[in-house]
Amino acid sequence: MTRAARISGIALMTLLAWQALVTGFALPRFILPGPGLVLETLWNSRTLLAEHALVTTIEVLLGLVLGGILGFASAILLAASPLARSVLRPILVFSQAVPVFALAPILTLWLGYGLWSKIAMALLIIYFPITSAFFDALMRTPTGWLELSRVMNARPARTLWHIRVPAALPGFASGLRLAAVYAPIGAIIGEWVGASRGLGYLMLLANGRAKIDLMFAALIVLAILTLILHAAVDAACRRLWQS
């Protein structure tokens, strides 16, 4: 069975279970609308959903690119400098002890209600996984390769860029795959705190007006965007690694 067939089967089973739950418990639409109503709203409101989805997609992509660049550079610095490891690693660990959700109002206050506060939220969420995954891979370079570089009198910088970094790229790719799933969470949290556009804003607006079918439609679009982003990042990483 192909991956597409498995996904289609899971989606069909989910819809059937959803409809059975609504029918079996006679749930009103303002509590849990049926899948048929949500799909109808998804189609009828496709233009509205597409406009808000475009904003969220831009926020996520920019956050992912910036987070990837910053995470890559940070991991290189940590791997190359023992001083940086002793100073920065405790700060990175401590930063994860602060709930990122609590920082959203502060970022909105500092950066405003535009794109940058949402991009910053996405970046904060994905920065640590990318940095951690790449750094761990850099520190697990095969011993034989490092011994060979020492035998050939390679300088530390050449060893880093020509041996350790290429060997650690799969770890960086793993961090990017995780980031592709986490980045939309940051963007949506930022939109919940303060925004005038985006799927998170649309979900809050729909919830406040008791349009639960529209809120579920926006949630489905967000899930589809996340799956597409993860698949695109995974395909890009595989292609780059194979080349």
Side-chain angles (χ1 to χ4, degrees):
M1 181 181 295
T2 63
R3 183 177 181 180
R6 290 197 300 270
I7 294 175
S8 299
I10 293 173
L12 179 59
M13 291 178 61
T14 301
L15 290 176
L16 292 175
W18 182 358
Q19 183 60 55
L21 179 63
V22 172
T23 303
F25 290 92
L27 297 175
R29 64 173 57 184
F30 63 86
I31 297 295
L32 180 63
L37 178 60
V38 173
L39 293 177
E40 180 182 354
T41 303
L42 189 63
W43 174 255
N44 293 335
S45 304
R46 59 189 182 278
T47 302
L48 176 66
L49 289 166
E51 292 175 355
H52 288 279
L54 178 61
V55 175
T56 301
T57 301
I58 293 173
E59 296 166 354
V60 170
L61 290 178
L62 289 176
L64 187 61
V65 170
L66 293 176
I69 294 173
L70 186 59
F72 186 92
S74 299
I76 293 291
L77 177 62
L78 291 171
S81 172
L83 178 60
R85 288 199 294 273
S86 62
V87 174
L88 295 181
R89 285 194 72 185
I91 297 176
L92 288 175
V93 174
F94 176 77
S95 69
Q96 297 306 296
V98 180
V100 179
F101 307 97
L103 298 177
I106 299 175
L107 292 175
T108 302
L109 177 65
W110 288 348
L111 302 176
Y113 290 89
L115 290 177
W116 285 109
S117 59
K118 288 71 180 174
I119 294 171
M121 276 299 302
L123 190 152
L124 281 176
I125 286 183
I126 68 177
Y127 169 68
F128 185 81
I130 293 177
T131 303
S132 180
F134 190 34
F135 171 72
D136 289 343
L138 285 169
M139 301 304 290
R140 292 198 305 267
T141 307
T143 306
W145 295 8
L146 296 177
E147 291 178 350
L148 180 61
S149 69
R150 284 193 290 268
V151 169
M152 298 180 68
N153 294 321
R155 289 177 296 178
R158 292 183 64 85
T159 300
L160 175 65
W161 288 107
H162 293 281
I163 295 179
R164 298 178 65 184
V165 169
L169 287 180
F172 181 66
S174 297
L176 284 179
R177 292 186 183 98
L178 288 175
V181 176
Y182 293 153
I185 299 175
I188 292 298
I189 292 172
E191 291 172 356
W192 283 347
V193 172
S196 59
R197 295 179 299 171
L199 289 174
Y201 164 78
L202 183 60
M203 291 168 66
L204 283 182
L205 184 66
N207 185 49
R209 297 182 179 181
K211 295 183 177 180
I212 310 302
D213 52 337
L214 180 59
M215 186 178 70
F216 271 84
L219 185 61
I220 291 175
V221 172
L222 177 62
I224 293 173
L225 284 177
T226 302
L227 290 174
I228 292 174
L229 180 61
H230 181 270
V233 170
D234 181 63
C237 289
R238 290 178 183 274
R239 183 165 185 174
L240 289 174
W241 177 246
Q242 290 175 356
S243 62

